[in-house]
Amino acid sequence: RNYDLRAEWFERPGEIWAVSGFYKKFSNPIELQFFTSNYDVRPVNVDEATVYGIELEVRKRLDQTISLLSNFQIGMNLTFVHSEVEIPETEFAEIQYYDSSAERTRQMYGQSPFVVNIDFGYANEKLGTSVSLVYNRFGDRFAVNSIGATADVYEKSRELFDIIASQRLGWGVSMKVSAKNLLDAKKSMRYRYKTQEPVYEEYSFGRTISVGLSVQPW
């Protein structure tokens, strides 16, 4: 079940100011769970999950600020989310045996408490040029449910920064260049027990640079 309320204001073509609230109720959502002593992982269903939050969105052309910025625009999307899954009774009893202050709920699998997206772009139709700088960050998210009172695994927050550019060369030929994960952000999965966060899995994606040509003959 999904409920949304959204207000939008379109100041000029290509611009938007928007705020929205949402509430979602999931039946039998899937999460990942360890199921053997060697930590094999399998998908399982939990009874239900609740997610609610607020989203703010802005997209503005910059020509009203300085005329030289007529081909530039900036956009931002900011989302705050609360999600929860009720821990099954038998599992919660085990957790409480070792930690009497443990909470009765945990985050929904894969749902960050916040997400930030910011993009800064240049587009010149006459020259056939476009450049976009894209920044993304998400908060820690629940990754794997451990057996019994063993600490669960969370994927740590990380920042991503990409640059994407394209240029029309003529005769229907265009070139596109992209450079992704320029901050070389690592994927870090960590057990979470009170103030301790030992590493479960951690690795780097590395930076990716690609160049492509496309042809549109008509």
Side-chain angles (χ1 to χ4, degrees):
R1 295 178 181 271
N2 179 52
Y3 304 92
D4 287 276
L5 182 63
R6 181 175 174 88
E8 300 175 327
W9 179 36
F10 300 95
E11 188 174 0
R12 295 187 298 164
E15 297 186 343
I16 187 174
W17 297 80
V19 58
S20 59
F22 55 87
Y23 177 91
K24 305 172 188 290
K25 194 78 170 180
F26 296 85
S27 296
N28 306 123
I30 295 173
E31 63 181 30
L32 296 182
Q33 182 184 74
F34 293 126
F35 69 98
T36 64
S37 58
N38 65 352
Y39 297 104
D40 291 326
V41 176
R42 65 180 176 186
V44 298
N45 293 94
V46 290
D47 289 339
E48 62 180 25
T50 302
V51 177
Y52 57 86
I54 186 170
E55 180 181 11
L56 307 173
E57 182 181 357
V58 177
R59 181 163 297 281
K60 282 284 294 180
R61 290 153 47 198
L62 301 182
D63 57 328
Q64 286 181 323
T65 307
I66 303 175
S67 59
L68 293 175
L69 299 179
S70 59
N71 294 314
F72 291 86
Q73 67 174 13
I74 189 168
M76 183 188 74
N77 179 282
L78 178 61
T79 305
F80 295 100
V81 182
H82 175 82
S83 67
E84 62 180 42
V85 171
E86 187 169 324
I87 300 173
E89 192 64 43
T90 53
E91 180 184 348
F92 185 61
E94 288 187 70
I95 295 172
Q96 272 203 314
Y97 181 80
Y98 294 97
D99 182 8
S100 60
S101 64
E103 296 184 2
R104 187 69 176 82
T105 61
R106 59 171 172 256
Q107 287 177 229
M108 181 181 177
Y109 168 74
Q111 178 62 66
S112 297
F114 71 86
V115 179
V116 179
N117 293 292
I118 301 173
D119 64 270
F120 181 74
Y122 170 83
N124 189 315
E125 183 63 30
K126 184 177 180 180
L127 297 177
T129 304
S130 68
V131 181
S132 295
L133 283 66
V134 182
Y135 171 85
N136 168 265
R137 182 175 181 179
F138 61 83
D140 294 1
R141 51 195 183 194
F142 179 67
V144 187
N145 177 32
S146 295
I147 299 171
T150 306
D152 294 329
V153 176
Y154 285 77
E155 180 180 358
K156 297 295 292 180
S157 171
R158 67 176 183 268
E159 298 175 300
L160 300 173
F161 179 63
D162 303 334
I163 298 177
I164 303 167
S166 65
Q167 176 63 53
R168 189 175 64 240
L169 302 178
W171 303 287
V173 179
S174 297
M175 181 175 67
K176 182 177 180 180
V177 179
S178 65
K180 297 187 176 182
N181 193 30
L182 291 175
L183 301 177
D184 196 20
K186 292 182 179 180
K187 181 174 183 178
S188 181
M189 311 271 282
R190 294 175 176 263
Y191 294 99
R192 180 180 292 178
Y193 180 71
K194 295 185 177 179
T195 60
Q196 302 177 40
E197 293 190 336
V199 174
Y200 164 68
E201 181 180 76
E202 188 173 78
Y203 57 89
S204 175
F205 291 102
R207 300 176 179 88
T208 303
I209 298 176
S210 62
V211 179
L213 291 175
S214 61
V215 180
Q216 187 175 357
W218 54 80

